[in-house]
Amino acid sequence: MVITSLDNPKIKKYLKLKTKKYRDNFKLYLVETDNLIKEAINNNCLVDLLALDGSINKYDFNITYVSKEIIKKLSSLDTTSNFIGVVKMKEMNDNLGSRILILDDIQDPGNLGTIIRSSVAFNISDIILSNNSVDLYNDKVIRSSEGMIYKINIIRTDLIKVIKKLKENNYLILGTNVRDGVDVKEVNSSRFALIMGNEGNGVKEEILNLCDKNLYIKMNKNCESLNLGVATGILLYELGEK
Amino acid sequence: MVITSLDNPKIKKYLKLKTKKYRDNFKLYLVETDNLIKEAINNNCLVDLLALDGSINKYDFNITYVSKEIIKKLSSLDTTSNFIGVVKMKEMNDNLGSRILILDDIQDPGNLGTIIRSSVAFNISDIILSNNSVDLYNDKVIRSSEGMIYKINIIRTDLIKVIKKLKENNYLILGTNVRDGVDVKEVNSSRFALIMGNEGNGVKEEILNLCDKNLYIKMNKNCESLNLGVATGILLYELGEK
C-alpha cells in the first residue's frame, strides 16, 4: 500500500513535526540523510521510515511507502532524498555524569550540531542547554550533529539553578573568557562543568560569577577569537586525558 | 551628493561584484558587517565605503552616500546594514612561510571562513586552496572569517605541483586520515604543510600518497569524525608551540 493523501492521519501528524511546538508535543522529529537514518536504527530511536513509492529498501527497517508529493512536503532539503525517518526524542536524564558541557544561549544551529559531535568524540557525559538556546531538534542542528545527537544525554534547563547544584556536588565550574583566564593546558580535572557562551556575547556575567576558573586558549593576538564550535572542540580535546 | 541611480557607473560596477567572475576581474569584493568594515580599514584594503543617505559616519573613512534602493540591491543579507564596503583582494604571494595549510577541495563556505580564522590564531603563514575549492570571496566565507581573511596569504593553485615543490624544499608533508595515522601529539615540526580534505571524502588518494605522515586526533570510537573546521582547529592548535 502506498499513502498518497496528505489527509492521511499519520502524514498529517508527521507534517506537524516541521514546527517546534508539535515536535515537543509528540516527542518526535524528522531526519532525511542516509547517515542520520542509519544511526537512528543503530541507536534504536527510529519509529517510522517513509520512502518514495518504488524505492528499494536499503535499511533493516519496515518501510511505509508514500507519494512524491508527500515526501516533498515533509522534506526540509533543497534536494529531497527518497527516505524520511521519524525519530523519537531521547528522554532527558537528570542523573548527570562527571564531564559536563553547558551552553549559555548558543544561537547557531550548525555550531550546536558540531559541538554535539565533538562532545561525543571527547567523552562528554551530558550537555546542558540554557532555555534560550536554539532548538535542539532544528533540522540543521540534527544534520550537523551527524547522528551524534542520538548518543549523548542533552537537557534544557535554567542554568543558574543547575550550576549552583553542580557546585554543591563538587564539580569544578569552568567558564571561558578570551581576555583573561587560565591556559586550558594547566587544568586537569575529572569532574567538571565547562560553560561556553553565546556566539556574540560570550558567557553572561552572572554565570561567569559562579565559575571557579576561567579558561582561555593561547593564540596569536592578531586574532580576537575563534569560531565557537572550534573553541569548544579545542577545550574539550584538552580537558580529555593528558 | 547622494547617488540614487542604479545606472551610476560606480554602482553598476559594484553590483557586478555579486558574481565571482567580476570579483576576479576587478579584484574587488563587498563586505557588510561593522567588524568586516573596521578590519578592512585597519588592514588598508578598503577602497570605497557606501552608506545609506542620512547615516552618521562612524568610520575613519570617506563615505559615498547612496539611496536605500542601491544599498538593498548590493546587500546579500536578509537584514541589510546601512554600510557596504568595497575591499581590494590581497595579492597572492608565492613566497611561502614555514607553516602551511593546504585545503583539498573544501566546499562549505562557513568551514573555510572558520579555518581562516583558526589559521591566523595558530600562526599559519599561508593557506593553499585547490582549484576546486569554494570561492574565497563568497560572502559567507568572508563573514565567517571575521576579517581574518585580510591578514593571511591565501593562494589558489594545483595541489599536486605545489606539494611536489614543497617536498623538494624540505617541508614535512602531513596528511590526515581518520582511520590510521600518527597521533598529532607526537608530531613536532617547524616547517610543515598540513593537508585537510573535502568534507565528505577527505584528502584525495593521489595527494595522500605524497604525504610523509598521516595525522589523527585521538577520540571516542562512538564518533566517526569531527566537523572539518573543528578537526583543522585542533590540529593547528597542536602543531603550534609545545
Side-chain angles (χ1 to χ4, degrees):
Chain A
M1 203 202 80
V2 179
I3 302 178
T4 56
S5 166
L6 290 165
D7 287 330
N8 176 292
K10 193 148 116 169
I11 301 306
K12 274 173 91 170
K13 178 176 172 186
Y14 294 165
L15 280 168
K16 287 182 177 167
L17 299 179
K18 300 194 85 170
T19 59
K20 177 172 176 351
K21 179 182 152 192
Y22 288 104
R23 287 195 293 269
D24 290 344
N25 256 349
F26 295 128
K27 307 274 177 221
L28 294 174
Y29 58 102
L30 304 175
V31 301
E32 303 187 44
T33 64
D34 181 52
N35 185 32
L36 288 173
I37 293 170
K38 270 191 207 148
E39 289 279 359
I41 295 170
N42 292 341
N43 289 277
N44 295 314
C45 52
L46 194 69
V47 296
D48 202 354
L49 183 56
L50 310 182
L52 179 63
D53 182 21
S55 307
I56 291 163
N57 188 354
K58 52 181 175 175
Y59 302 103
D60 186 17
F61 201 92
N62 269 343
I63 271 181
T64 306
Y65 285 101
V66 300
S67 64
K68 185 145 198 167
E69 188 194 14
I70 291 175
I71 287 272
K72 269 199 164 169
K73 287 263 185 196
L74 287 169
S75 174
S76 313
L77 298 175
D78 294 337
T79 341
T80 41
S81 94
N82 293 344
F83 296 88
I84 292 187
V86 182
V87 179
K88 66 166 184 263
M89 293 181 179
K90 240 175 128 91
E91 296 277 326
M92 289 191 195
N93 177 2
D94 286 334
N95 197 354
L96 302 175
S98 57
R99 296 166 52 81
I100 296 172
L101 174 64
I102 295 177
L103 300 170
D104 178 21
D105 294 0
I106 179 168
Q107 289 309 307
D108 183 88
N111 276 345
L112 179 53
T114 291
I115 288 173
I116 293 170
R117 204 168 157 191
S118 301
S119 297
V120 174
F122 300 125
N123 304 304
I124 287 301
S125 53
D126 316 87
I127 297 175
I128 303 176
L129 296 174
S130 63
N131 287 319
N132 290 324
S133 295
V134 59
D135 178 31
L136 178 58
Y137 298 100
N138 172 306
D139 66 293
K140 281 186 201 153
V141 174
I142 299 163
R143 265 205 312 284
S144 50
S145 87
E146 293 278 354
M148 295 305 113
I149 195 171
Y150 311 136
K151 299 197 182 184
I152 185 165
N153 180 42
I154 305 179
I155 68 183
R156 179 182 285 267
T157 188
D158 178 82
L159 293 194
I160 302 281
K161 274 189 207 161
V162 83
I163 294 168
K164 285 185 176 163
K165 220 167 167 179
L166 291 170
K167 280 175 89 76
E168 285 167 18
N169 285 282
N170 299 316
Y171 284 81
L172 183 68
I173 311 294
L174 301 168
T176 40
N177 193 326
V178 283
R179 263 154 308 187
D180 60 282
V182 184
D183 188 340
V184 57
K185 280 191 191 297
E186 289 163 29
V187 175
N188 217 330
S189 170
S190 55
R191 189 173 173 84
F192 66 82
L194 170 69
I195 308 171
M196 301 298 296
N198 169 273
E199 287 85 354
N201 309 317
V203 180
K204 277 197 279 298
E205 191 76 24
E206 60 180 325
I207 290 181
L208 278 182
N209 289 339
L210 297 172
C211 293
D212 298 310
K213 278 182 189 173
N214 281 324
L215 302 185
Y216 86 96
I217 298 165
K218 199 177 157 190
M219 66 179 98
N220 189 305
K221 287 192 181 64
N222 274 327
C223 183
E224 233 177 72
S225 66
L226 295 165
N227 161 275
L228 178 65
V230 173
T232 307
I234 293 174
L235 292 173
L236 295 182
Y237 169 78
E238 275 289 3
L239 290 169
E241 299 160 83
K242 277 183 191 162
Chain B
M1 202 202 81
V2 179
I3 302 178
T4 56
S5 165
L6 289 165
D7 287 330
N8 176 291
K10 193 148 114 166
I11 301 304
K12 274 173 89 169
K13 179 177 171 184
Y14 293 165
L15 279 169
K16 287 182 177 166
L17 300 180
K18 300 194 84 171
T19 60
K20 176 175 177 346
K21 179 181 152 192
Y22 288 105
R23 287 196 293 268
D24 290 345
N25 255 351
F26 295 127
K27 307 271 177 223
L28 294 174
Y29 58 101
L30 304 174
V31 301
E32 303 187 46
T33 64
D34 181 51
N35 186 32
L36 288 173
I37 292 169
K38 270 191 204 146
E39 288 281 357
I41 295 169
N42 293 341
N43 289 277
N44 294 314
C45 52
L46 194 70
V47 297
D48 202 355
L49 182 57
L50 310 182
L52 179 64
D53 182 22
S55 308
I56 291 162
N57 189 354
K58 52 181 175 174
Y59 302 103
D60 185 17
F61 201 93
N62 269 342
I63 271 182
T64 305
Y65 283 102
V66 299
S67 65
K68 185 146 199 168
E69 187 193 14
I70 290 176
I71 287 274
K72 269 200 164 171
K73 287 262 186 201
L74 287 169
S75 173
S76 314
L77 297 176
D78 294 336
T79 341
T80 41
S81 92
N82 292 344
F83 295 88
I84 292 187
V86 182
V87 179
K88 65 166 185 263
M89 292 181 181
K90 239 175 131 91
E91 296 276 328
M92 287 191 197
N93 177 2
D94 286 334
N95 197 354
L96 302 176
S98 57
R99 296 168 51 83
I100 296 172
L101 175 64
I102 295 177
L103 299 171
D104 179 21
D105 294 1
I106 180 170
Q107 288 310 309
D108 183 88
N111 277 344
L112 179 53
T114 292
I115 288 172
I116 292 169
R117 205 169 157 190
S118 300
S119 297
V120 174
F122 300 125
N123 303 305
I124 287 301
S125 53
D126 316 87
I127 297 175
I128 303 177
L129 296 174
S130 64
N131 287 318
N132 291 324
S133 294
V134 58
D135 179 32
L136 178 58
Y137 297 100
N138 172 306
D139 66 293
K140 280 186 202 154
V141 175
I142 298 162
R143 265 204 313 283
S144 50
S145 88
E146 294 278 351
M148 295 305 112
I149 196 171
Y150 311 136
K151 298 199 180 180
I152 185 164
N153 181 41
I154 305 179
I155 69 181
R156 179 183 285 266
T157 189
D158 178 82
L159 293 194
I160 301 280
K161 274 189 206 159
V162 83
I163 294 169
K164 285 184 176 163
K165 221 167 167 179
L166 292 170
K167 280 176 89 76
E168 285 167 17
N169 284 283
N170 299 317
Y171 283 81
L172 183 68
I173 311 295
L174 300 168
T176 40
N177 192 327
V178 281
R179 264 154 307 186
D180 59 283
V182 184
D183 188 341
V184 57
K185 281 192 191 295
E186 288 162 27
V187 175
N188 216 331
S189 170
S190 56
R191 188 174 173 83
F192 66 83
L194 170 68
I195 307 171
M196 300 300 294
N198 167 275
E199 286 85 353
N201 308 316
V203 180
K204 276 197 278 297
E205 192 76 25
E206 59 180 324
I207 291 180
L208 278 183
N209 289 339
L210 296 172
C211 294
D212 297 311
K213 276 181 191 174
N214 281 324
L215 303 184
Y216 85 97
I217 298 164
K218 200 176 155 190
M219 66 178 97
N220 188 306
K221 286 190 182 67
N222 274 329
C223 184
E224 232 176 73
S225 66
L226 295 165
N227 162 275
L228 178 65
V230 173
T232 308
I234 292 174
L235 291 173
L236 296 181
Y237 169 79
E238 274 290 359
L239 290 168
E241 300 160 83
K242 279 182 191 164

